[in-house]
């Protein structure tokens, strides 16, 4: 039954990928940025489910389950960060990319700061931190597959990698966006459906009954700093800051470049706050902070308390133990949908960074459109193999990949990204100094503070402060950007954005 | 952003968002007791919902009455 369902699911994805390939215009702009023609509805699904991944289904609830509700501040920061991206930064990134036909945000940065060195630094930096994030997607499916079938997680990992290859290799960014609509619907239906069903079945008194079970047996799971003392006041505030830096996630920034028109940036904040903040992200919170711990604390529970990396599985294990097997299979498809919808966008972004910014930017500036597409596809295959290796290795908890590795890494380009479109005075020297200084502190943190979450958290925040300070101070003491750059990135954009919609 | 800081409505909008963020930095001091709002909502979650409500109202007013890109 499970295998049959996975085959049918895979065939649907295959059909969408082939259809996307057939209707595409086979240009690099079409393959990489969906012809800059994504409308509001598809854009919403595209973005929401490019950031809602296996982490949302497993890592986030698993962390709440073991450490209490303080972690939710990362989500509040993320919602504010995404809304802020569309409110403040998105229109200008979209406009400058459209006016200058930029295919990658790093290409935009190198032109803004007139620096090829910065292009390499940013491309390598973003690739280094996006690959672990892609790696957790197949891993999430592998964990779900293991929990559901008892078979090795490698089957689930391999299945996801093959589907990913189909979507990004054949279809490109447009198919990725369209597949995200389908996958997002499957994901949301399974995630919400499983929660409603479990609560109705196990807690007839509703969520209040579940919360009371936790409050009476483990009140430390409903307050800070949590059972293991992770969430001090400073840590919670730090999580909010790290979450707000979501505006700098490269696969989200590149999404703004695919928008059809500037009206999209008027409506997307509404969807980010209401649909994502109030509705969608409430589901994993209720799962991880209330329902899952309450079930584990019941006297006749089928799912005794779990800890460590094992807790990443808690939602799937509960569903498998309490709901019919056919529904567990349906939920696994939701996890696969979540994983693919995120990893596909990340892989497209990574492939573009390799082909457009590293190969085309340096070694083959005279490359044809066809070569650019081929290199992007080649990079995607190589990155997929790397991803497969990381997923098989599985060195850390899912939540740690995101909040301790990928997001702090992405944030290292945040100051110069902001300055690129909002601050005329930001200079090449300031951008390079900030990115290198911040990244060095971050990497030093990984070397000297493994396993010490508090120290690592301080170093992550310290790296961002240093990065921002270096960017501003060095920019102010070095010559301003050329008049041509200021005109292209500010005056022309101002004029373009002020035209009647 | 450059357009938003260029007029009074935009400055008020940004100020409201900033105040809400500062409030979010301050509220974790109340999270050390296991309080449940409406019988099931932990306080860190309720604080975030209030935060988003502020952002939503500010956004609706500013973007639909003072959006800077429309002339």
């Amino acid at each position: 039954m499970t295998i049959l369902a996975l085959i049918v699911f895979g065939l649907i994805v295959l059909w969408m990928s082939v259809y996307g390939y057939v209707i595409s215009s086979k240009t690099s702009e079409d393959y990489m940025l969906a012809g800059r023609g994504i409308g509001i509805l598809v854009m919403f699904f595209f973005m929401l489910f490019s950031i809602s991944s296996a982490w949302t289904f497993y890592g986030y609830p698993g962390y709440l389950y073991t450490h209490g509700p303080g972690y939710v501040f990362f989500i509040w920061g993320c919602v504010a960060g995404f809304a802020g991206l569309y409110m403040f930064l998105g229109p200008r990134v979209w406009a400058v990319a459209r006016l200058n036909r930029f295919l990658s945000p790093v290409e935009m940065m190198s032109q803004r700061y007139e620096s090829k060195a910065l292009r390499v630094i940013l491309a390598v930096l973003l690739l280094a931190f996006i690959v672990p994030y892609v790696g957790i997607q197949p891993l999430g499916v592998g964990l779900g597959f293991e929990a559901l079938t008892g078979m090795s997680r490698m089957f689930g990992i391999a299945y996801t990698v093959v589907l990913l290859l189909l979507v990004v290799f054949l279809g490109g960014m447009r198919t990725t966006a369209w597949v995200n609509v389908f996958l997002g619907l499957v994901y949301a239906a399974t995630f919400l459906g499983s929660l409603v069903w479990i609560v109705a079945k196990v807690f007839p008194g509703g969520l209040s009954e579940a919360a009371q079970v936790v409050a009476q047996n483990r009140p430390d799971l409903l307050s800070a700093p949590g059972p293991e003392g992770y969430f001090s006041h400073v840590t919670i505030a730090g999580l909010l800051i790290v979450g707000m830096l979501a505006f700098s996630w490269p696969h989200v920034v590149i999404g703004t470049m695919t928008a059809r028109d500037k009206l999209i940036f008027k409506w997307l904040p509404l969807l980010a706050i209401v649909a994502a903040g109030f509705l969608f992200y409430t589901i994993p919170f209720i799962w991880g902070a209330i329902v899952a711990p309450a079930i584990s604390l019941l006297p006749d529970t089928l799912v005794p308390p779990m800890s460590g990396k094992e807790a990443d599985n808690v939602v799937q294990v509960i569903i498998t133990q309490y709901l019919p097997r056919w529904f567990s299979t349906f939920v696994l498809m939701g996890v696969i949908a979540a994983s693919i919808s995120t990893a596909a966008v990340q892989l497209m972004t990574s492939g573009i960074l390799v082909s457009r910014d590293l190969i085309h930017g340096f070694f083959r500036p005279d490359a044809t459109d066809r070569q650019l597409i081929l290199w992007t596809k080649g990079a995607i295959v190589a990155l997929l193999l790397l991803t497969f290796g990381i997923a098989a290795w599985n060195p850390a908890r899912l939540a740690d990949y995101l909040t301790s590795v990928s997001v702090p890494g992405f944030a290292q380009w945040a100051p110069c990204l902001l300055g690129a479109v909002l601050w005329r005075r930001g200079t090449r020297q300031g951008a390079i100094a900030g990115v290198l200084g911040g990244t060095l502190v971050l990497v030093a943190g990984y070397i000297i503070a493994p396993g010490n979450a508090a120290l690592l958290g301080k170093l992550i925040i310290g790296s961002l402060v240093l990065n921002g300070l270096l960017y501003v101070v060095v920019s102010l003491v070095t010559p301003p950007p050329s008049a041509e750059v200021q005109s292209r990135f500010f005056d022309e954009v101002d004029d373009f954005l002020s035209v009647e919609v | 952003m450059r357009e938003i800081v260029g007029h009074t409505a935009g400055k008020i909008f940004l100020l409201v968002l900033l105040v809400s963020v500062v409030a979010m930095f301050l509220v974790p001091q109340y999270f050390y007791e296991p309080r449940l709002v409406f019988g099931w909502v932990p306080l860190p979650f309720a604080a975030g919902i209030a935060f988003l409500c502020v952002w939503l109202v500010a956004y609706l007013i500013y973007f639909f009455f003072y959006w800077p890109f429309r002339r």
Side-chain angles (χ1 to χ4, degrees), chain B residues 1 13 21 23 26-28 31-32 37 43 55 57-58 62 67 70:
Chain B
M1 176 71 102
F13 172 62
V21 171
L26 298 177
V27 290
F31 296 165
Y32 290 86
V37 182
L43 210 50
W55 275 57
V57 172
Y62 180 70
W67 201 46
R70 209 181 84 198

Side-chain angles (χ1 to χ4, degrees), chain A residues 154-367:
Chain A
M154 293 307 295
F155 288 103
I157 293 172
Y159 176 78
T160 311
V161 167
V162 170
L163 284 192
L164 272 172
L165 190 64
L166 286 173
V167 173
V168 294
F169 203 84
L170 287 176
M173 197 66 99
R174 178 182 288 108
T175 300
T176 300
W178 277 99
V179 168
N180 269 18
V181 177
F182 164 67
L183 297 177
L185 290 172
V186 174
Y187 181 25
T190 54
F191 212 10
L192 180 60
S194 60
L195 178 65
V196 170
W197 197 344
I198 280 284
V199 172
K201 182 170 181 176
V202 183
F203 302 107
L207 289 173
S208 295
E209 183 186 341
Q212 289 310 317
V213 170
V214 183
Q216 284 162 14
N217 294 283
R218 288 289 306 278
D220 54 334
L221 278 172
L222 291 173
S223 61
E228 295 177 31
Y230 264 39
F231 294 110
S232 65
H233 189 156
V234 173
T235 309
I236 294 173
L239 277 172
L240 184 72
I241 295 171
V242 173
M244 291 176 86
L245 290 163
F247 74 83
S248 63
W249 295 7
H251 52 295
V252 177
V253 174
I254 207 169
T256 62
M257 297 168 72
T258 65
R260 189 173 55 207
D261 57 56
K262 68 182 175 189
L263 267 180
I264 283 172
F265 299 101
K266 184 175 183 178
W267 287 96
L268 268 180
L270 179 67
L271 293 169
I273 295 171
V274 175
F278 287 137
L279 301 175
F280 187 76
Y281 285 109
T282 296
I283 303 170
F285 179 84
I286 294 173
W287 252 123
I290 300 170
V291 173
I295 286 177
S296 285
L297 292 168
L298 290 172
D300 53 347
T301 184
L302 300 177
V303 183
M306 302 164 82
S307 60
K309 281 198 277 185
E310 194 190 20
D312 283 341
N313 251 351
V314 67
V315 172
Q316 183 73 51
V317 172
I318 289 173
I319 290 169
T320 305
Q321 292 295 327
Y322 282 88
L323 299 182
R325 189 172 176 83
W326 67 265
F327 191 77
S328 299
T329 303
F330 186 48
V331 168
L332 181 63
M333 282 195 282
V335 179
I336 294 169
S339 302
I340 293 172
S341 61
T342 301
V345 185
Q346 291 170 330
L347 278 171
M348 281 302 303
T349 306
S350 307
I352 291 167
L353 290 174
V354 172
S355 67
R356 182 67 174 179
D357 293 306
L358 292 179
I359 301 178
H360 182 255
F362 274 89
F363 303 110
R364 293 292 301 276
D366 56 341

Side-chain angles (χ1 to χ4, degrees), chain A residues 92 224 233 266 290 500, chain B residues 3 25 31-32 40 59 71:
Chain A
R92 297 193 75 86
H233 189 156
K266 184 175 183 178
I290 300 170
E500 181 74 57
Chain B
E3 300 75 13
F25 285 130
F31 296 165
Y32 290 86
W40 68 272
Y59 154 78
R71 275 189 184 171

Side-chain angles (χ1 to χ4, degrees), chain B residues 1-70:
Chain B
M1 176 71 102
R2 288 164 54 82
E3 300 75 13
I4 295 172
V5 295
H7 63 161
T8 306
K11 287 173 186 160
I12 294 171
F13 172 62
L14 288 176
L15 184 66
V16 169
L17 299 191
L18 181 65
V19 168
S20 71
V21 171
V22 172
M24 286 292 272
F25 285 130
L26 298 177
V27 290
Q29 62 187 300
Y30 302 107
F31 296 165
Y32 290 86
E33 291 295 323
R35 297 188 182 92
L36 290 171
V37 182
F38 303 125
W40 68 272
V41 183
L43 210 50
F45 189 80
I49 292 294
F51 170 67
L52 290 190
C53 285
V54 172
W55 275 57
L56 179 63
V57 172
Y59 154 78
L60 287 174
I61 294 172
Y62 180 70
F63 268 63
F64 290 90
F65 294 97
Y66 303 99
W67 201 46
F69 298 133
R70 209 181 84 198

Side-chain angles (χ1 to χ4, degrees), chain A residues 7-186:
Chain A
I7 290 171
V8 172
F9 185 81
L11 286 174
I12 294 172
V13 173
L14 173 65
W15 174 77
M16 293 184 81
S17 304
V18 171
Y19 181 72
Y21 178 77
V22 169
I23 65 165
S24 69
S25 62
K26 315 291 187 295
T27 64
S28 56
E29 191 171 63
D30 197 85
Y31 181 73
M32 294 179 181
L33 295 181
R36 301 180 205 270
I38 300 289
I40 180 72
L41 192 64
V42 175
M43 178 68 88
F44 172 66
F45 277 94
F46 179 35
M47 286 294 100
L48 177 61
F49 294 105
S50 72
I51 57 177
S52 306
S53 60
W55 177 88
T56 318
F57 210 114
Y58 288 151
Y60 175 45
Y63 220 72
L64 293 166
Y65 174 83
T66 45
H67 296 296
Y71 196 51
V72 72
F73 263 52
F74 175 67
I75 290 295
W76 301 135
C78 284
V79 174
F82 292 128
L85 169 68
Y86 303 123
M87 288 176 184
F88 308 127
L89 203 60
R92 297 193 75 86
V93 170
W94 167 78
V96 80
R98 197 174 190 93
L99 285 169
N100 296 281
R101 315 311 296 175
F102 294 141
L103 292 176
S104 133
V106 172
E107 179 187 11
M108 177 191 81
M109 300 287 278
S110 78
Q111 295 281 317
R112 162 63 179 83
Y113 291 108
E114 300 171 283
S115 170
K116 281 193 167 187
L118 184 66
R119 192 172 193 174
V120 179
I121 292 168
L122 289 180
V124 171
L125 171 83
L126 296 177
L127 280 169
F129 286 101
I130 207 170
V131 167
Y133 192 3
V134 183
I136 70 173
Q137 309 310 329
L139 174 59
V141 176
L143 290 172
F145 191 82
E146 194 174 64
L148 177 63
T149 65
M151 294 164 70
S152 166
R153 70 185 59 167
M154 293 307 295
F155 288 103
I157 293 172
Y159 176 78
T160 311
V161 167
V162 170
L163 284 192
L164 272 172
L165 190 64
L166 286 173
V167 173
V168 294
F169 203 84
L170 287 176
M173 197 66 99
R174 178 182 288 108
T175 300
T176 300
W178 277 99
V179 168
N180 269 18
V181 177
F182 164 67
L183 297 177
L185 290 172
V186 174

